[in-house]
Amino acid sequence: MADPTPTTPEHTDRPVYVIGGGPGGLAAAYALRARGLRAVVLERSDRVGASWRGHYDRLRLHTTRRLSALPGLAMPRRFGRWPARDDVVRYLEKYADHHELEIVTGVEVSRVEPAPDGTGWLLHASGGRRLTGGAVVVATGYNHTPRLPDWPGREQYTGELLHARDYRAPDPYTGRDVLVVGAGNTGAEIAVDLVEGGAARVRLAVRTVPHLVRRSTAGWAAQYTGVLCRRLPVPLVDRLARPLARLSVPDLSAHGLPRPDTGLYSRVRQGAIPVQDVGLVDAVRTGRIEVVAAVEGFADGEVVLADGTRIAPDAVIAATGYARGLTELVGHLGVLDERGRPLVHGPRTAGTAPGLYFTGFTNPVSGMLRELALDARRIARKAAKHHGSARAALVPVSA
């Protein structure tokens, strides 16, 4: 569906506040403006796209350029089919400028609560700011707070231990023995990067065997299949995926990566998306990446694996995921589940929190940026209907 023609925003004193200046926040801000609402993006860093700037150097989108554009601005053809990290950052900067979005940087929101007058929301922000808006869109990102397991003996480990967020390039690990923990897309890609960058030995610690898929087969992107799968029953997709996996991905059981015994789409619905092959299959098959058991802890300067094996790598890179980081912000409002994830997303709001929207807190197989674009339009449509006439007030800083 085509975006509505942007209109001149109604610059009332009560904006819709968008928390987060990443793709989800920027898309939401544009879509809200297109519906005639004033949208103010509050970004805690000094620039938009902060999370993307922090990703490792070799990262490219696993989704196509055409299906990764945000509302109102296509990605340039020169980015190629799979845009690189730096191109995505440039695109986000261009997006904010092109749409003349109202963005305030260096402002971190610590808590959201109902406004004292019973309408809208009160935001507590850095610098003692107290801001009242008619609605709030929380777009702080899926990869918000690095999660490093509290492995026993971790403090005594004398090697280098870092979370994948702090990994940039393989140069510091040339000639070294490195263990990558976690076989998601990030862990798999970092392991391949290390091998290609000259690490002497690379091992990949796997707790749950991932589903492996080709990023593209005969020109057909895996994302296209993901989009189609969203409308099909889970058991059907699971059944169809098994023969396709056998045809497209070799059996790596002899190398420590057997085929998963659970359905591909069943795993997706549980939050585990397939790993897109960017060199992992060949590296494992040729022995350049060794698959080992999951990490259980550390002892005597060594890493203890789940099968009882002890190894002594020079460095451990933990691709162990992120927490959403929403508990302090909105946890008191009854809008999160037991794992700290929003109970609702997109245009839906919790019954106890009307006008509080969430975007970007799922990891869809159809592509994160594509779903952020769809969410933005839906949120804006809902906000225009229910909150477009609200008036706002800027509450003075407390004494």
Side-chain angles (χ1 to χ4, degrees):
M1 183 179 69
D3 295 311
T5 301
T7 59
T8 302
E10 297 176 4
H11 287 283
T12 66
D13 290 328
R14 172 165 282 187
V16 176
Y17 282 111
V18 180
I19 306 175
L26 298 180
Y30 164 74
L32 288 162
R33 281 176 50 97
R35 291 277 175 179
L37 299 176
R38 182 187 176 202
V40 178
V41 178
L42 303 175
E43 167 55 44
R44 65 176 180 173
S45 73
D46 60 350
R47 294 176 292 179
V48 300
S51 177
W52 275 93
R53 297 175 192 276
H55 288 314
Y56 47 93
D57 293 350
R58 74 169 282 151
L59 178 66
R60 286 184 175 272
L61 288 180
H62 289 169
T63 54
T64 66
R65 168 180 54 82
R66 294 186 64 184
L67 292 186
S68 299
L70 302 180
L73 186 67
M75 284 190 174
R77 290 177 61 86
R78 68 176 182 276
F79 287 2
R81 195 180 193 195
W82 316 103
R85 178 203 63 187
D86 290 348
D87 287 333
V88 174
V89 171
R90 293 186 189 99
Y91 172 72
L92 296 178
E93 293 174 337
K94 176 66 175 178
Y95 191 86
D97 291 340
H98 178 78
H99 293 307
E100 299 181 342
L101 300 181
E102 189 173 352
I103 301 170
V104 184
T105 59
V107 174
E108 182 172 10
V109 179
S110 58
R111 185 179 176 88
V112 177
E113 59 188 28
D117 64 2
T119 61
W121 295 93
L122 174 65
L123 286 69
H124 297 265
S126 53
R129 297 176 179 87
R130 299 175 65 208
L131 309 170
T132 304
V136 173
V137 180
V138 181
T140 48
Y142 190 84
N143 296 337
H144 186 273
T145 305
R147 184 169 52 218
L148 189 64
D150 189 19
W151 287 304
R154 190 181 76 184
E155 296 77 10
Q156 285 74 48
Y157 179 60
T158 57
E160 181 182 357
L161 173 62
L162 69 155
H163 189 273
R165 185 187 69 168
D166 298 316
Y167 174 86
R168 291 293 177 272
D171 299 359
Y173 304 97
T174 300
R176 300 174 68 189
D177 182 344
V178 186
L179 172 67
V180 179
V181 184
N185 278 292
T186 297
E189 192 156 354
I190 288 176
V192 171
D193 198 32
L194 289 164
V195 166
E196 295 178 353
R201 186 177 190 180
V202 178
R203 284 173 281 201
L204 180 64
V206 179
R207 183 175 300 278
T208 302
V209 179
H211 284 273
L212 300 175
V213 299
R214 300 292 188 184
R215 185 167 65 179
S216 178
T217 303
W220 179 266
Q223 183 187 13
Y224 299 160
T225 304
V227 172
L228 295 175
C229 286
R230 299 205 63 167
R231 298 185 178 275
L232 296 177
V234 173
L236 175 60
V237 177
D238 285 347
R239 287 197 298 270
L240 294 175
R242 293 189 188 102
L244 290 176
R246 287 194 292 269
L247 288 172
S248 61
V249 178
D251 185 1
L252 299 174
S253 299
H255 304 280
L257 279 182
R259 298 191 189 278
D261 55 7
T262 54
L264 183 151
Y265 203 39
S266 294
R267 290 270 290 273
V268 169
R269 296 297 291 270
Q270 296 169 5
I273 64 172
V275 171
Q276 294 200 15
D277 178 37
V278 292
L280 178 69
V281 170
D282 287 342
V284 169
R285 187 167 50 182
T286 57
R288 292 179 296 156
I289 292 177
E290 304 169 48
V291 178
V292 298
V295 172
E296 290 295 309
F298 297 81
D300 303 321
E302 296 179 320
V303 180
V304 181
L305 303 180
D307 60 2
T309 304
R310 292 192 177 197
I311 60 176
D314 300 317
V316 175
I317 300 174
T320 46
Y322 294 79
R324 308 293 82 83
L326 295 172
T327 301
E328 292 186 6
L329 184 68
V330 296
H332 54 287
L333 298 173
V335 296
L336 305 179
D337 65 14
E338 66 280 358
R339 296 174 60 184
R341 302 172 303 184
L343 292 169
V344 295
H345 69 276
R348 294 183 295 139
T349 59
T352 57
L356 180 63
Y357 303 95
F358 295 90
T359 184
F361 295 99
T362 60
N363 198 10
V365 70
S366 52
M368 174 69 81
L369 292 177
R370 176 182 181 273
E371 296 303 321
L372 289 175
L374 295 173
D375 267 358
R377 298 185 183 101
R378 294 164 182 159
I379 289 172
R381 185 162 54 245
K382 177 75 172 292
K385 179 179 179 181
H386 293 281
H387 313 288
S389 62
R391 292 291 177 184
L394 180 63
V395 181
V397 175
S398 299

